[in-house]
């Protein structure tokens, strides 16, 4: 199980490294990479990644292992738009900020795994996201208020709970099935909370 968890995080790290979008300077890049590295354990490849750093590239040579440089800067041809990791045995939770800075991401497909924890809030930072598949995991908690236009989701067969955000009310009901504690359109209405009767004592 520990090996599977490490493998899950390593794959995420490798893909996220490739997906860092163009920002203002190398120092900003460095902070994003360091932040994500600190959220995972058992990584040995990036032991040379230490702060502070002003320039990550020296010509075509990277200062940090695993980076790709083009004439002193990151090449932008590694911008990932889709992440397909479905039908594996990846487990563990997905860091809440796992998708921070990935503005070009359009498709996140992580269904049929063994992920736990909550849906990452950093998914709200992806303006181009149109396809999010997290079905058949063990993800729990509430669904974030995903706002992206033309977004299609599949959260079926998890452990999600609470009301479905109104922004997702037009989705197919099958995308939320198998979550017995979910409610609201397109599923059954949420039951009103029972109020506890107040008893007045007259002395």
């Amino acid at each position: 199980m520990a090996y599977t968890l490490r493998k899950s995080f390593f794959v995420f790290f490798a893909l996220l490294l490739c997906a860092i979008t163009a920002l203002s300077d190398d120092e900003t890049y460095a902070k994003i990479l360091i932040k994500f590295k600190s959220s995972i354990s058992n990584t040995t490849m990036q032991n040379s990644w230490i702060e502070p750093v002003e320039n990550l590239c020296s010509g075509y040579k990277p200062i940090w292992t695993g980076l790709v440089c083009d004439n002193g800067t990151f090449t932008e041809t590694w911008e990932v738009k889709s992440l397909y990791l479905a039908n594996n045995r990846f487990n563990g939770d997905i860091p809440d900020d796992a998708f921070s800075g990935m503005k070009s991401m359009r498709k996140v497909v992580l269904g049929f795994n063994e992920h736990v924890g909550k849906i990452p809030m950093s998914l709200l930072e992806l303006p181009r996201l149109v396809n999010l598949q997290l079905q058949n995991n063990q993800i729990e908690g509430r669904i974030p208020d995903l706002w992206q236009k033309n977004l299609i989701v599949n959260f079926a067969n998890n452990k999600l709970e609470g009301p479905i955000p109104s922004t997702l009310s037009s989705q197919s009901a099958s995308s939320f099935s198998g979550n017995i504690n979910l409610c609201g359109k397109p599923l059954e209405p949420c039951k009103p909370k029972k109020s506890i009767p107040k008893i007045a004592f007259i002395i």
Side-chain angles (χ1 to χ4, degrees), residues 41-96:
S41 58
N42 299 311
T43 57
T44 58
M45 177 181 169
Q46 291 80 22
N47 285 338
S48 64
W49 292 17
I50 56 176
E51 294 185 278
V53 61
E54 295 181 359
N55 298 299
L56 294 177
C57 297
S58 176
Y60 291 88
K61 182 180 179 180
I63 302 301
W64 285 353
T65 302
L67 306 187
V68 176
C69 296
D70 182 7
N71 196 24
T73 59
F74 279 115
T75 177
E76 297 182 22
T77 59
W78 275 21
E79 235 175 71
V80 172
K81 296 181 179 180
S82 301
L83 178 62
Y84 294 95
L85 289 175
N87 294 289
N88 288 287
R89 298 185 64 185
F90 298 144
N91 60 17
D93 61 343
I94 305 170
D96 200 40

Side-chain angles (χ1 to χ4, degrees), residues 88-179:
N88 288 287
R89 298 185 64 185
F90 298 144
N91 60 17
D93 61 343
I94 305 170
D96 200 40
D97 59 352
F99 299 96
S100 294
M102 303 171 69
K103 303 294 185 182
S104 296
M105 185 67 70
R106 294 178 55 84
K107 299 180 181 180
V108 177
V109 181
L110 301 174
F112 296 91
N113 283 295
E114 299 174 8
H115 289 299
V116 297
K118 298 181 179 180
I119 297 175
M121 293 299 293
S122 54
L123 289 169
L124 297 173
E125 303 173 19
L126 310 182
R128 300 180 183 179
L129 187 65
V130 295
N131 193 329
L132 175 59
Q133 298 185 30
L134 300 177
Q135 71 272 27
N136 293 81
N137 281 283
Q138 300 180 46
I139 300 173
E140 58 188 11
R142 292 179 175 248
I143 300 175
D145 293 322
L146 295 162
W147 55 273
Q148 292 89 338
K149 186 178 180 180
N150 300 322
L151 175 63
I152 298 175
V153 303
N154 193 340
F155 298 135
N157 302 317
N158 279 285
K159 298 180 179 180
L160 297 168
E161 59 184 21
I164 296 172
S166 59
T167 53
L168 302 177
S169 61
S170 62
Q171 302 279 327
S172 171
S174 62
S175 295
F176 303 97
S177 63
N179 296 276

